[in-house]
Amino acid sequence: MISRRRQSALHYDHTPDETRGFRPTCTVLSRWSEGISVKQGIILAAVMGSFVAFLAIVGSVRGGQAERGREIFTDVTDQAGITWKHFNGESPDRHLIETKNGGLAFLDFDHDGRLDIFLVQGGETPHGNSPVPLHHALYRNLGNGRFEDVAAKAGVDRVAGFPIGVAVGDYDNDGYPDLYITGFPVSTLYHNNRDGTFTDVTDRAGLRNLGQWATNAIWFDYDRDGLLDLLVCRYGQMSFDHSPHCLFRNMPAYCAPQAYGPGDRLLLFHNNGDGTFTDVSAASGVQKYVGRALSAVAIDLNDDGWPDLFVTRDGSANLLLMNQKDGTFQDSALDADVAYDPNGVAKAGMGIDAADVNGDGWPDFVMTAFDHEYHSLFLNPGYFPFEDWTVPSGLAGFTVRYVGWGTHFLDFDNDGIMDLIIVSGHVNKAIEEGTASGTYKEPPLLLKNDGHGVFHNMKEAAGPAFQKAYDARGLAVGDFDNDGDTDVVFACLQDHPVLLRNNLGQDNNWVGFELRGTKSNRDAIGAKLVVEYRGRKLVRWITGGSSIFSSSDHRVIFGLGSGPPPANVDVEIRWPNGETETVRNLAPNRYHEIVEGSSR
């Protein structure tokens, strides 16, 4: 049995990137809370109705000083050779779609063991034309801290319509990731040919979504048949010829979401296993939930072995779609108290992610939102309703002035506790005219979790990139240099992306897993992993989706903390098809590829 397990688990040592140094790639602005006083903190906490929020603000100073003198993340964009620049078609017409794009992904498209980066280009509008030809970028990881753009060679450089985001998933289980690019008025499915190239198979697959505004998509196996299905989030009525016009402080401005109608229906496509998909939106019940959907995450939130959906919507009630295990979904957002804010108002729900933030083994949820709405943190106790932990966590105080987009839980220091990263950027440049309460470009946030769901702002220790400001959108996480800690990449509208290398996590012990489904989908999206060591129980999931417009590394890293590493690690895996197996005696501080069923 032991020898069989060893044959099934591929162990590969990390090969850290040797690149050092940083250089900013987006315009710099000072952060609103620079040098915030105790008095100002008390006032802000009073406005929010909780002194706990002030304690979190004070904690940001302490947390930021914890690693003083050493930056946690280094901006290595220039050293990596990433020169591609985003374009969003900005024009005096102020089409709202100009603000809602900027997707990207970490993926290993050529299966060489190194994460590559796909960057989604925006599009042109009638009065917002690019001075240079537009193209998507596919940066191949060369393994020495450098990347090269091979999008044209791979056949994925062409920009169709106005692209927005990307979903990465191996829909035909051939071992190579495929790409679905959302946008208006078309979306595109690229099949990976396993030779470094892709083929546009959208029409054959039946996924063109012609004439519609698709914002986000996620791959997940809703019926557990071993094939990845596709959920497509759609926003509302979009037309460059009949777009609403609005003013903000007598300047052309982007209109509120309500100007684009009540929204559109969700789409769910069932994978037929022959390269085609069937629209089951009506049969599954998701079609009836009309609204302005922006992002989604698929995860088993009630631990019944079936993937559920949290869908964020912009000025429309959020959805918590519970899998009924018969091919249908039922919305329980009202029961869970996540549909609206405490005043019964639908927030501008943007990005979403799920992880266990308080160590109780249940997935909790973070949702980014517009400024002065506060981003949300919902604790899942294993039953309804969820607990709104936004203020006690300190998240309200940290995010009150920011328009949040991409977000992801990550254990940046590998201490076994899930931390949080958020990128932001306003939509109206006029926000800076005549007010000191907001800026157009905004800094990212790196928030350290104390293990009980209370966060501390690591601004001072995180690195110079966290003291600068960006008009950021999509964000993805993954270990691009295979050194065992989580790196980050995010997109900036009208600018270069930002690639951040983690300098800290490799100091602690860790163990990483790359799962390969056999009966389940090959990516093992939907799997639950449990590691126990030194009296701690750590739970992680391979989710479908998360963040916004973006896709992250499907590998899972468990931080094991400081001190001597454990002699070995056991992991319990519940595969997406519901079957469970335990793989034992795995060495720490390396990745293990585990094939479903190989330990039995």
Side-chain angles (χ1 to χ4, degrees):
M1 183 65 69
I2 293 177
S3 62
R4 187 178 173 190
R5 192 274 306 161
R6 287 176 177 168
Q7 290 172 359
S8 68
L10 173 65
H11 314 305
Y12 51 99
D13 294 322
H14 63 283
T15 54
D17 176 15
E18 295 299 326
T19 308
R20 294 291 182 265
F22 73 93
R23 181 178 177 184
T25 59
C26 295
T27 305
V28 178
L29 288 172
S30 61
R31 183 182 170 190
W32 73 273
S33 60
E34 184 77 43
I36 187 169
S37 68
V38 173
K39 180 178 179 180
Q40 290 170 322
I42 293 174
I43 293 173
L44 178 58
V47 171
M48 293 164 55
S50 174
F51 188 70
V52 178
F54 170 61
L55 296 179
I57 294 170
V58 174
S60 72
V61 178
R62 295 173 182 168
Q65 292 172 341
E67 297 288 340
R68 185 175 296 280
R70 182 186 185 193
E71 64 189 43
I72 299 171
F73 286 97
T74 296
D75 182 343
V76 295
T77 313
D78 284 352
Q79 291 88 333
I82 297 175
T83 59
W84 177 90
K85 190 174 182 179
H86 181 267
F87 182 80
N88 73 338
E90 182 177 336
S91 70
D93 299 322
R94 295 296 190 266
H95 302 288
L96 190 60
I97 199 171
E98 298 168 11
T99 73
K100 300 184 185 301
N101 59 99
L104 77 175
F106 270 131
L107 75 162
D108 181 7
F109 84 94
D110 53 0
H111 211 276
D112 65 354
R114 296 188 291 263
L115 286 182
D116 313 300
I117 301 173
F118 183 76
L119 299 162
V120 180
Q121 184 59 278
E124 295 182 312
T125 60
H127 299 104
N129 303 119
S130 173
V132 298
L134 296 179
H135 69 279
H136 303 305
L138 177 60
Y139 276 98
R140 181 173 180 266
N141 189 338
L142 302 179
N144 58 357
R146 300 280 299 176
F147 292 74
E148 66 170 342
D149 187 0
V150 296
K153 185 188 303 183
V156 292
D157 59 323
R158 186 177 69 89
V159 172
F162 198 110
I164 294 175
V166 59
V168 176
D170 181 6
Y171 74 85
D172 58 350
N173 289 333
D174 66 355
Y176 285 75
D178 309 298
L179 304 174
Y180 186 71
I181 301 173
T182 58
F184 169 81
V186 295
S187 298
T188 306
L189 177 64
Y190 283 107
H191 175 258
N192 192 324
N193 299 321
R194 300 186 293 174
D195 60 0
T197 68
F198 292 78
T199 298
D200 183 343
V201 295
T202 317
D203 290 329
R204 178 178 184 275
L207 297 176
R208 183 68 69 186
N209 197 27
L210 190 63
Q212 304 302 312
W213 182 359
T215 54
N216 201 76
I218 67 170
W219 296 102
F220 76 122
D221 183 6
Y222 79 92
D223 56 355
R224 305 198 323 184
D225 65 353
L227 298 169
L228 289 179
D229 310 300
L230 186 68
L231 179 81
V232 179
C233 299
R234 301 198 299 185
Y235 194 83
Q237 289 68 50
M238 175 64 201
S239 170
F240 288 131
D241 297 327
H242 304 286
S243 186
H245 297 278
C246 298
L247 296 175
F248 181 77
R249 297 193 176 117
N250 295 319
M251 295 177 61
Y254 298 105
C255 295
Q258 290 75 10
Y260 289 82
D264 207 342
R265 63 188 180 95
L266 292 173
L267 291 180
L268 181 61
F269 292 98
H270 177 262
N271 188 338
N272 298 323
D274 60 358
T276 68
F277 292 77
T278 297
D279 186 345
V280 294
S281 307
S284 66
V286 304
Q287 177 176 284
K288 62 186 176 185
Y289 302 113
V290 174
R292 292 172 289 272
L294 277 180
S295 65
V297 63
I299 192 170
D300 178 11
L301 68 88
N302 59 357
D303 205 36
D304 66 354
W306 293 75
D308 309 298
L309 295 165
F310 194 127
V311 182
T312 68
R313 303 201 294 181
D314 191 4
S316 305
N318 297 320
L319 302 174
L320 197 65
L321 299 180
M322 305 301 297
N323 195 323
Q324 302 301 297
K325 299 182 281 189
D326 60 0
T328 67
F329 291 84
Q330 186 67 41
D331 183 28
S332 296
L334 287 174
D335 295 333
D337 274 356
V338 299
Y340 301 98
D341 73 6
N343 298 314
V345 177
K347 288 187 177 183
M350 308 285 205
I352 183 72
D353 196 23
D356 179 10
V357 301
N358 58 355
D360 65 357
W362 294 96
D364 310 302
F365 296 87
V366 65
M367 181 187 77
T368 58
F370 215 73
D371 62 345
H372 298 287
E373 288 186 334
Y374 318 129
H375 303 356
S376 296
L377 180 64
F378 299 110
L379 295 187
N380 174 7
Y383 51 84
F384 295 157
F386 289 175
E387 183 175 1
D388 190 335
W389 199 243
T390 305
V391 171
S393 67
L395 191 63
F398 297 136
T399 63
V400 61
R401 298 187 180 230
Y402 299 145
V403 177
W405 296 90
T407 186
H408 216 288
F409 289 110
L410 75 170
D411 182 3
F412 71 82
D413 54 359
N414 278 342
D415 65 354
I417 300 170
M418 298 303 288
D419 310 301
L420 182 62
I421 188 168
I422 302 169
V423 295
S424 306
H426 214 282
V427 297
N428 282 314
K429 293 182 177 179
I431 190 68
E432 296 178 343
E433 299 294 328
T435 176
S437 65
T439 59
Y440 175 62
K441 296 190 176 185
E442 300 172 337
L445 294 172
L446 181 66
L447 305 178
K448 181 172 176 56
N449 184 356
D450 71 351
H452 303 286
V454 177
F455 294 102
H456 305 280
N457 193 350
M458 301 300 290
K459 173 187 173 183
E460 299 301 326
F466 292 82
Q467 300 181 42
K468 299 172 173 40
Y470 313 86
D471 194 15
R473 290 299 186 267
L475 172 145
V477 303
D479 183 8
F480 79 82
D481 51 4
N482 286 334
D483 64 353
D485 54 27
T486 306
D487 309 301
V488 176
V489 63
F490 62 87
C492 297
L493 295 190
Q494 303 280 66
D495 216 325
H496 305 288
V498 177
L499 178 63
L500 300 176
R501 189 195 59 237
N502 189 330
N503 303 309
L504 185 67
Q506 58 195 277
D507 290 353
N508 280 336
N509 299 302
W510 59 278
V511 64
F513 300 103
E514 184 171 10
L515 303 189
R516 289 289 172 256
T518 52
K519 294 180 181 179
S520 302
N521 68 85
R522 189 177 175 92
D523 288 339
I525 292 174
K528 175 184 177 182
L529 300 88
V530 180
V531 166
E532 296 188 53
Y533 82 106
R534 294 175 183 169
R536 300 177 65 185
K537 181 178 180 180
L538 306 180
V539 183
R540 305 285 185 264
W541 296 264
I542 300 180
T543 63
S546 73
S547 192
I548 191 170
F549 313 146
S550 306
S551 293
S552 292
D553 190 359
H554 289 150
R555 293 178 298 179
V556 178
I557 298 174
F558 285 81
L560 302 178
S562 60
N568 52 66
V569 175
D570 299 341
V571 59
E572 180 185 276
I573 303 169
R574 186 171 69 195
W575 293 92
N577 68 359
E579 297 182 3
T580 299
E581 68 178 303
T582 300
V583 184
R584 303 186 186 280
N585 302 318
L586 301 174
N589 298 318
R590 64 183 61 186
Y591 285 101
H592 302 272
E593 184 179 50
I594 300 176
V595 178
E596 181 180 9
S598 58
S599 66
R600 299 190 184 98

